[in-house]
mmCIF file of all heavy atoms in Angstrom:
data_model
loop_
_atom_site.group_PDB
_atom_site.id
_atom_site.type_symbol
_atom_site.label_atom_id
_atom_site.label_comp_id
_atom_site.label_asym_id
_atom_site.label_seq_id
_atom_site.Cartn_x
_atom_site.Cartn_y
_atom_site.Cartn_z
ATOM 1 N N GLU A 258 -28.180 69.246 110.327
ATOM 2 C CA GLU A 258 -26.921 69.616 110.975
ATOM 3 C C GLU A 258 -27.060 69.750 112.494
ATOM 4 O O GLU A 258 -26.044 69.884 113.191
ATOM 5 C CB GLU A 258 -26.397 70.925 110.389
ATOM 6 C CG GLU A 258 -26.035 70.831 108.915
ATOM 7 C CD GLU A 258 -25.009 69.733 108.653
ATOM 8 O OE1 GLU A 258 -23.996 69.679 109.389
ATOM 9 O OE2 GLU A 258 -25.228 68.929 107.727
ATOM 10 N N ASN A 259 -28.272 69.714 112.990
ATOM 11 C CA ASN A 259 -28.475 69.776 114.440
ATOM 12 C C ASN A 259 -28.389 68.405 115.103
ATOM 13 O O ASN A 259 -28.676 68.277 116.303
ATOM 14 C CB ASN A 259 -29.829 70.410 114.770
ATOM 15 C CG ASN A 259 -29.788 71.921 114.605
ATOM 16 O OD1 ASN A 259 -28.722 72.520 114.517
ATOM 17 N ND2 ASN A 259 -30.961 72.529 114.550
ATOM 18 N N TYR A 260 -28.009 67.403 114.335
ATOM 19 C CA TYR A 260 -27.820 66.048 114.878
ATOM 20 C C TYR A 260 -26.361 65.665 114.714
ATOM 21 O O TYR A 260 -25.849 65.558 113.602
ATOM 22 C CB TYR A 260 -28.709 65.046 114.143
ATOM 23 C CG TYR A 260 -28.631 63.628 114.681
ATOM 24 C CD1 TYR A 260 -29.144 63.316 115.930
ATOM 25 C CD2 TYR A 260 -28.067 62.599 113.916
ATOM 26 C CE1 TYR A 260 -29.094 62.016 116.415
ATOM 27 C CE2 TYR A 260 -28.025 61.298 114.395
ATOM 28 C CZ TYR A 260 -28.538 61.010 115.647
ATOM 29 O OH TYR A 260 -28.486 59.714 116.132
ATOM 30 N N LEU A 261 -25.676 65.478 115.838
ATOM 31 C CA LEU A 261 -24.280 65.069 115.829
ATOM 32 C C LEU A 261 -24.183 63.653 116.370
ATOM 33 O O LEU A 261 -24.439 63.407 117.558
ATOM 34 C CB LEU A 261 -23.432 66.025 116.680
ATOM 35 C CG LEU A 261 -21.948 65.658 116.832
ATOM 36 C CD1 LEU A 261 -21.261 65.549 115.476
ATOM 37 C CD2 LEU A 261 -21.242 66.687 117.713
ATOM 38 N N ARG A 262 -23.848 62.734 115.495
ATOM 39 C CA ARG A 262 -23.736 61.320 115.847
ATOM 40 C C ARG A 262 -22.257 60.932 115.866
ATOM 41 O O ARG A 262 -21.532 61.137 114.879
ATOM 42 C CB ARG A 262 -24.491 60.477 114.820
ATOM 43 C CG ARG A 262 -24.320 58.955 114.949
ATOM 44 C CD ARG A 262 -25.094 58.391 116.087
ATOM 45 N NE ARG A 262 -25.129 56.920 116.033
ATOM 46 C CZ ARG A 262 -25.546 56.153 117.034
ATOM 47 N NH1 ARG A 262 -25.969 56.707 118.159
ATOM 48 N NH2 ARG A 262 -25.556 54.848 116.906
ATOM 49 N N ILE A 263 -21.804 60.391 116.988
ATOM 50 C CA ILE A 263 -20.424 59.933 117.119
ATOM 51 C C ILE A 263 -20.468 58.444 117.437
ATOM 52 O O ILE A 263 -20.982 58.032 118.488
ATOM 53 C CB ILE A 263 -19.663 60.704 118.209
ATOM 54 C CG1 ILE A 263 -19.706 62.207 117.921
ATOM 55 C CG2 ILE A 263 -18.222 60.214 118.297
ATOM 56 C CD1 ILE A 263 -19.029 63.055 118.983
ATOM 57 N N ASN A 264 -19.944 57.637 116.521
ATOM 58 C CA ASN A 264 -20.054 56.178 116.648
ATOM 59 C C ASN A 264 -18.915 55.546 115.854
ATOM 60 O O ASN A 264 -18.878 55.663 114.632
ATOM 61 C CB ASN A 264 -21.405 55.716 116.099
ATOM 62 C CG ASN A 264 -21.702 54.270 116.431
ATOM 63 O OD1 ASN A 264 -21.285 53.761 117.459
ATOM 64 N ND2 ASN A 264 -22.441 53.602 115.551
ATOM 65 N N PRO A 265 -17.964 54.893 116.504
ATOM 66 C CA PRO A 265 -16.786 54.387 115.787
ATOM 67 C C PRO A 265 -17.078 53.102 115.022
ATOM 68 O O PRO A 265 -17.956 52.320 115.398
ATOM 69 C CB PRO A 265 -15.790 54.111 116.915
ATOM 70 C CG PRO A 265 -16.665 53.698 118.056
ATOM 71 C CD PRO A 265 -17.902 54.580 117.943
ATOM 72 N N GLU A 266 -16.361 52.893 113.942
ATOM 73 C CA GLU A 266 -16.385 51.600 113.265
ATOM 74 C C GLU A 266 -15.502 50.629 114.044
ATOM 75 O O GLU A 266 -14.377 50.967 114.421
ATOM 76 C CB GLU A 266 -15.887 51.720 111.825
ATOM 77 C CG GLU A 266 -16.874 52.360 110.880
ATOM 78 C CD GLU A 266 -16.474 52.197 109.420
ATOM 79 O OE1 GLU A 266 -15.375 51.651 109.168
ATOM 80 O OE2 GLU A 266 -17.255 52.608 108.548
ATOM 81 N N ILE A 267 -16.023 49.433 114.292
ATOM 82 C CA ILE A 267 -15.284 48.427 115.046
ATOM 83 C C ILE A 267 -15.423 47.075 114.360
ATOM 84 O O ILE A 267 -16.238 46.895 113.452
ATOM 85 C CB ILE A 267 -15.796 48.315 116.496
ATOM 86 C CG1 ILE A 267 -17.285 47.891 116.513
ATOM 87 C CG2 ILE A 267 -15.598 49.623 117.247
ATOM 88 C CD1 ILE A 267 -17.815 47.566 117.892
ATOM 89 N N ASP A 268 -14.609 46.143 114.811
ATOM 90 C CA ASP A 268 -14.795 44.752 114.418
ATOM 91 C C ASP A 268 -16.022 44.241 115.172
ATOM 92 O O ASP A 268 -16.658 44.988 115.920
ATOM 93 C CB ASP A 268 -13.543 43.949 114.772
ATOM 94 C CG ASP A 268 -13.415 42.673 113.951
ATOM 95 O OD1 ASP A 268 -14.425 42.239 113.372
ATOM 96 O OD2 ASP A 268 -12.304 42.121 113.891
ATOM 97 N N PHE A 269 -16.368 42.965 115.011
ATOM 98 C CA PHE A 269 -17.502 42.450 115.775
ATOM 99 C C PHE A 269 -17.037 42.134 117.196
ATOM 100 O O PHE A 269 -16.283 41.204 117.421
ATOM 101 C CB PHE A 269 -18.113 41.201 115.143
ATOM 102 C CG PHE A 269 -19.178 40.604 116.030
ATOM 103 C CD1 PHE A 269 -20.345 41.303 116.274
ATOM 104 C CD2 PHE A 269 -18.988 39.390 116.663
ATOM 105 C CE1 PHE A 269 -21.312 40.796 117.127
ATOM 106 C CE2 PHE A 269 -19.954 38.870 117.505
ATOM 107 C CZ PHE A 269 -21.123 39.567 117.740
ATOM 108 N N TRP A 270 -17.491 42.953 118.145
ATOM 109 C CA TRP A 270 -17.219 42.720 119.557
ATOM 110 C C TRP A 270 -18.550 42.559 120.260
ATOM 111 O O TRP A 270 -19.383 43.454 120.263
ATOM 112 C CB TRP A 270 -16.434 43.890 120.160
ATOM 113 C CG TRP A 270 -15.093 44.096 119.518
ATOM 114 C CD1 TRP A 270 -14.342 43.146 118.873
ATOM 115 C CD2 TRP A 270 -14.363 45.309 119.422
ATOM 116 N NE1 TRP A 270 -13.182 43.696 118.407
ATOM 117 C CE2 TRP A 270 -13.142 45.020 118.722
ATOM 118 C CE3 TRP A 270 -14.567 46.616 119.873
ATOM 119 C CZ2 TRP A 270 -12.183 45.991 118.463
ATOM 120 C CZ3 TRP A 270 -13.614 47.576 119.618
ATOM 121 C CH2 TRP A 270 -12.432 47.269 118.929
ATOM 122 N N GLU A 271 -18.752 41.413 120.853
ATOM 123 C CA GLU A 271 -20.006 41.075 121.499
ATOM 124 C C GLU A 271 -20.261 41.990 122.700
ATOM 125 O O GLU A 271 -19.363 42.691 123.176
ATOM 126 C CB GLU A 271 -19.954 39.593 121.921
ATOM 127 C CG GLU A 271 -21.258 39.006 122.407
ATOM 128 C CD GLU A 271 -22.421 39.246 121.468
ATOM 129 O OE1 GLU A 271 -23.053 40.329 121.594
ATOM 130 O OE2 GLU A 271 -22.715 38.389 120.639
ATOM 131 N N LEU A 272 -21.497 41.984 123.196
ATOM 132 C CA LEU A 272 -21.887 42.831 124.319
ATOM 133 C C LEU A 272 -21.066 42.566 125.571
ATOM 134 O O LEU A 272 -20.922 43.449 126.422
ATOM 135 C CB LEU A 272 -23.373 42.617 124.648
ATOM 136 C CG LEU A 272 -24.392 42.867 123.539
ATOM 137 C CD1 LEU A 272 -25.793 42.588 124.057
ATOM 138 C CD2 LEU A 272 -24.294 44.295 123.021
ATOM 139 N N ASP A 273 -20.517 41.360 125.696
ATOM 140 C CA ASP A 273 -19.763 41.004 126.899
ATOM 141 C C ASP A 273 -18.261 40.893 126.642
ATOM 142 O O ASP A 273 -17.530 40.319 127.455
ATOM 143 C CB ASP A 273 -20.287 39.699 127.495
ATOM 144 C CG ASP A 273 -20.298 38.542 126.493
ATOM 145 O OD1 ASP A 273 -20.014 38.774 125.302
ATOM 146 O OD2 ASP A 273 -20.610 37.411 126.912
#
Side-chain angles (χ1 to χ4, degrees):
E258 296 303 312
N259 283 345
Y260 183 69
L261 176 58
R262 173 75 169 168
I263 304 177
N264 191 31
E266 285 192 356
I267 61 172
D268 202 342
F269 174 66
W270 298 335
E271 190 51 274
L272 302 179
D273 55 354

